[in-house]
Every structure is written in structure tokens, then in C-alpha cells.
Amino acid sequence: MFRQLGFIFIVFGITFGVLVWQLGWPEWVMPAEEGQEDTSTEIPEESMTMEDSLQDLLSNLGETRDNINLDEIDLESIDLEGLTIDELNLQEILPVLEEETQTEQTEEEEASEEEASNEEEISEEETGNEEQQSESEHLEEEETIAEDSLQSLIGESEEAVQNLLGEAQRVDPSLYGYNVHVYLNQEHQEYILVGIMDNVVQTVLALGEEASVAPLQAGMSRSEVENHLQVEEEPTVETDDGSFTFHPDEQEAADRPLVELEDGIWAQLYFDTIDDGLVGVRYLNSETIVNHRPYSITYRGSLEERPNWGREEWRPVEEAAEQQVLEATNVIRQSFGKDPLEWDEEVAQVAYLHSEDMAQNNYFAHDSPTSGALQDRMTAGDVSFMRAGENIAAQYVDATSAVIGWLNSEGHRVNLLSEDFSHLGVGVYERHYTQNFLTPW
């Protein structure tokens, strides 16, 4: 019997030792003695049991404990109801702890990923806003470039001109060494002449209501224009050849003043002085404005002489000027709501002979000492007409300048804008210009 009791004690001891090894010693909370200050903290029995028991459990987990943070575990999510400290099984509680830890980590990772996703969405939204802002700025830039495009062509290549305006309708020779690339859009009332020499744009002339001459606009009054640009009374132009001061007379200063837009780039402004409105703008570099010499000039340095051309060189330039007079005339007529005029070759020949006669006989008048009045010249040219008119000009820079001169002369303006005429012939001989208007039978 004693042997049996001994065996039982041995088994009990071994079992108790195993429990102590697995769970550790329980922690007892002793009540304070009567009259003694209670320094302990009152802990609810259930919370005390779970917290302390788990802490004891983890004290013997070795490396496993290093990977489990009790502060990160939601103790309320572990079902320990009905269990006492002596009944807890480490093999049952450990998976619960690990699952809870993994759950916490998963939630943190999801929160981190969600935050990252939100940051990415915000970043994408910010990027989108930046792209929209960039696109908006680009559109504003394109708009600005489009408005300033004709001025900005000065100094650019022929390829840049074609990129902006397309292929020219034709290319004309000029008096000034550059070729004139002609762009005429009567439907949109825009006439552009681009002067290119050695693959560099020297000058751009823009005429018509839709011409891009920002910050200006066709039809602006002189005072409105001067709110944007400062007109110089006697502008001085500097080039490598010297210093050149121009002296416009009263009429020249009124209908085609010169302003400097930026260093080396100028604009000659063409006004309708009768109706007080801007008609067109010619952009030029410094060398070209000196080459044109649109006003009387004083200078220090050297001034290039005009070429001494023969008829073979002159005639292509004259023919180009004749077409340019017709085109500029029709653009201006359309801006006044008038129908364009049709070209008449027979009348053009009559006009050419009169320009030639004035140049060779050194006079300037409608009545020729050799061929008589306009009616006489029409009859001699076998031109029948119901009504006819004539404008003449001389020594202008080019065809467009001559047309603007006619627009600002009361008598010539009547012919230029008359609804009674349907056809036009133009004759240019060197720097003499004749317009013959006609209404045929």
C-alpha cells in the first residue's frame, strides 16, 4: 500500500513539475492587512488572469516571444472564457497568439498599402493637375505664340515659315535682294508677304482684318495703338554699317510710322488716316529697314547703293508688284465690304505704258505729253468701257506701300473703294505705279 501511495506522489510530482515548467508559477494577489495602506492596484479578476497568465506563458517561449508583442495583441479577441490559469494549454494558446499577431500585421499592412494607394492616387491626381496646368500653360503659350507668330518669324528659316503658314502660293522677286513668299486668303481677309534671303526671314508684311499682328489688331485707332507701342518721331537704327536716323514728313509719320519692338526688330505701322484705323503691319530687321529707306535719312557709316539693273532684272520685279497691287487693293476693298476687282490684261497694258512714259519722260501726271488723257490711252489700247478711273504713284518702297498711299488720299481713295468698278489693270515700271479701274460694256 505504501508502495502505491509513493507511486501516486511520484506521478503527482512529475505532473506538477511539468505544469510549472510550461506555465510558470502563478502570481497571487494578497489582500492588504487591516489598518495597512493598500498600495496595490485593484485589477479585475478576468483581466488580471489573462494579462498575467499570458505574460507568464510568454516568459518561457524563447525565440518565439521575441516575435510576439503583447502590447499589439487584442486580448479581448482571445476566447479564454471558463479557463483558469491551471487549465491553459500552451499549444492551444500559441496559435491564437500567432494568428492575432498576423491579423494585426495584416491590418497594418493593409492600412499601409491603403495609405500608399491613397498617396499614389493623390500623387496621380497631383500629376494630373500638373499635367492639366502644364497643358493650360502650353495652350496659353501656343496662343501667345500664335498671336505673335508673324513678328517672331523675323530671323527664322524658310522651314519655320512653312511650318506656320504652309506652302506659299507663289514666290516673287523684290528690289531688296530677298524673295517674297506670298500668302493670300481672301476668304479670311488675310494677306501676308514674307521676305526671305539666304534662308533667313528679313521682313513680314501682314494686311487685312484677320492678320495676326498682336498685341495690335486691325482697325485699332492711333491712340489705341500708342497704348501698346511707342511711336518714335525720328527713329535711329543701328547696324554693322553705321547709325541711321530717319526723318518722316508729316504725312509719312501719320500713315506709316516706325516703332522698335525689340533690339533689332522694327514695325512699320500702316494706318487709314481718314477713318483712323490700323490697316496692316510690316515687321523688319534693322538691315532691311535701312535697305528700304522709307523716309529721308541722315547717317554715319556707309549706305549701300541701289542696284543698277537692266530691263531683264527689272521686269520680273515689276510683274510681281503688279499682282501685289491687285491683291492689296482687294484685301482693303473687302475690309470695307466691297467686292474684289477682276484682273484685266488689256487694261494692265495701258497702265504699264503710262508708268513707262512717266519714268522715261520724267513727269508725274494723269495727262501724258505724248499719249494724252486716260480716255485717249484706253482708246489707243482698244479697251471699250462704260466707266474708267486711274490712280498713279511713284517712289514708294513697294506695291503695298503705294496702295496704302492711295487709301490715304481722298481722290485716290474714291477710285480704290468705288463700287462702280469691276475690273482692274495695274502697270509698274521700275518705281512708277499706275492703277486703271474699269467697268466694261
Side-chain angles (χ1 to χ4, degrees):
M1 179 171 179
F2 287 105
R3 290 181 179 177
Q4 292 176 342
L5 289 172
F7 179 76
I8 290 171
F9 279 112
I10 292 172
V11 171
F12 177 78
I14 293 172
T15 303
F16 184 77
V18 170
L19 286 173
V20 170
W21 178 77
Q22 286 185 329
L23 300 178
W25 288 97
E27 185 176 7
W28 306 103
V29 179
M30 299 296 294
E33 294 181 0
E34 187 177 355
Q36 181 180 350
E37 183 179 358
D38 189 357
T39 59
S40 65
T41 302
E42 184 176 355
I43 302 176
E45 183 177 353
E46 181 179 349
S47 296
M48 177 189 68
T49 302
M50 287 190 298
E51 181 82 17
D52 295 342
S53 298
L54 287 173
Q55 187 66 52
D56 287 342
L57 269 171
L58 293 173
S59 66
N60 292 310
L61 290 179
E63 294 181 358
T64 305
R65 183 186 178 192
D66 296 335
N67 298 326
I68 301 176
N69 187 344
L70 189 61
D71 294 333
E72 297 178 353
I73 300 175
D74 184 4
L75 297 177
E76 294 180 357
S77 66
I78 304 176
D79 186 11
L80 300 177
E81 185 177 0
L83 297 178
T84 67
I85 190 63
D86 294 331
E87 294 172 329
L88 287 173
N89 187 314
L90 181 63
Q91 300 304 319
E92 294 176 353
I93 194 65
L94 185 57
V96 176
L97 294 175
E98 293 176 344
E99 181 180 357
E100 178 66 20
T101 303
Q102 292 174 354
T103 301
E104 289 285 340
Q105 291 175 344
T106 302
E107 290 177 353
E108 289 179 0
E109 290 173 357
E110 290 177 352
S112 177
E113 290 175 357
E114 182 178 358
E115 183 178 356
S117 176
N118 291 337
E119 290 177 354
E120 183 176 357
E121 290 175 359
I122 293 173
S123 177
E124 290 177 353
E125 183 178 356
E126 291 174 349
T127 301
N129 291 337
E130 291 175 357
E131 290 175 353
Q132 291 176 356
Q133 182 178 2
S134 176
E135 181 178 358
S136 175
E137 291 174 352
H138 181 63
L139 289 175
E140 291 177 1
E141 183 181 353
E142 282 191 337
E143 184 178 357
T144 302
I145 293 174
E147 290 176 346
D148 296 339
S149 58
L150 295 182
Q151 174 187 336
S152 66
L153 285 177
I154 299 298
E156 295 294 330
S157 66
E158 181 177 343
E159 182 180 1
V161 175
Q162 292 177 349
N163 289 338
L164 181 66
L165 302 176
E167 290 289 338
Q169 291 168 295
R170 69 174 190 274
V171 178
D172 293 340
S174 76
L175 287 171
Y176 306 105
Y178 54 75
N179 290 325
V180 179
H181 295 239
V182 179
Y183 297 86
L184 174 62
N185 189 332
Q186 287 187 336
E187 179 181 355
H188 295 92
Q189 300 181 29
E190 186 176 36
Y191 186 48
I192 301 173
L193 304 178
V194 183
I196 302 177
M197 180 171 61
D198 298 329
N199 197 35
V200 177
V201 175
Q202 311 292 318
T203 178
V204 180
L205 185 145
L207 195 67
E209 290 188 342
E210 299 300 323
S212 178
V213 292
L216 308 180
Q217 187 175 1
M220 273 187 172
S221 67
R222 176 69 175 256
S223 61
E224 290 174 325
V225 169
E226 291 181 350
N227 288 334
H228 296 276
L229 301 174
Q230 182 178 358
V231 176
E232 301 183 45
E233 293 184 2
E234 293 190 333
T236 297
V237 178
E238 305 285 346
T239 73
D240 293 340
D241 294 327
S243 178
F244 306 86
T245 300
F246 292 103
H247 309 280
D249 62 29
E250 183 177 354
Q251 183 63 41
E252 292 167 342
D255 61 26
R256 50 185 185 280
L258 187 66
V259 299
E260 187 172 18
L261 302 176
E262 55 185 276
D263 187 25
I265 298 181
W266 299 78
Q268 193 172 21
L269 310 176
Y270 291 102
F271 285 99
D272 174 355
T273 56
I274 295 174
D275 283 353
D276 187 24
L278 184 68
V279 178
V281 178
R282 187 197 303 268
Y283 303 104
L284 321 87
N285 58 28
S286 297
E287 290 74 19
T288 302
I289 191 66
V290 172
N291 197 10
H292 281 190
R293 301 170 211 171
Y295 326 103
S296 63
I297 185 174
T298 57
Y299 63 98
R300 298 193 309 272
S302 61
L303 190 63
E304 185 178 353
E305 294 184 1
R306 298 294 189 193
N308 185 18
W309 284 351
R311 290 311 302 160
E312 290 184 359
E313 291 86 9
W314 269 109
R315 191 56 195 143
V317 174
E318 295 166 353
E319 290 175 339
E322 291 166 357
Q323 289 301 309
Q324 291 170 21
V325 167
L326 172 68
E327 291 161 349
T329 297
N330 281 336
V331 168
I332 290 175
R333 283 177 63 89
Q334 285 184 287
S335 69
F336 282 87
K338 313 297 183 181
D339 291 333
L341 302 173
E342 296 182 24
W343 180 261
D344 189 307
E345 186 61 38
E346 291 181 348
V347 176
Q349 181 62 25
V350 172
Y352 175 77
L353 291 175
H354 187 56
S355 291
E356 180 185 34
D357 186 32
M358 287 190 293
Q360 290 183 348
N361 291 294
N362 196 26
Y363 75 94
F364 184 72
H366 292 287
D367 291 338
S368 167
T370 58
S371 57
L374 173 59
Q375 182 174 353
D376 300 324
R377 298 195 295 274
M378 288 286 196
T379 300
D382 292 329
V383 176
S384 60
F385 60 93
M386 183 171 60
R387 186 184 297 271
E390 183 178 80
N391 287 341
I392 59 175
Q395 306 306 317
Y396 278 89
V397 165
D398 59 11
T400 305
S401 296
V403 174
I404 300 299
W406 289 324
L407 180 67
N408 287 317
S409 169
E410 290 281 3
H412 298 89
R413 182 187 182 94
V414 171
N415 285 339
L416 193 72
L417 302 178
S418 176
E419 295 179 337
D420 294 332
F421 300 123
S422 58
H423 291 71
L424 179 68
V426 180
V428 177
Y429 184 89
E430 297 184 2
R431 299 172 74 97
H432 287 74
Y433 302 82
T434 299
Q435 269 187 322
N436 286 160
F437 300 87
L438 183 74
T439 300
W441 285 104

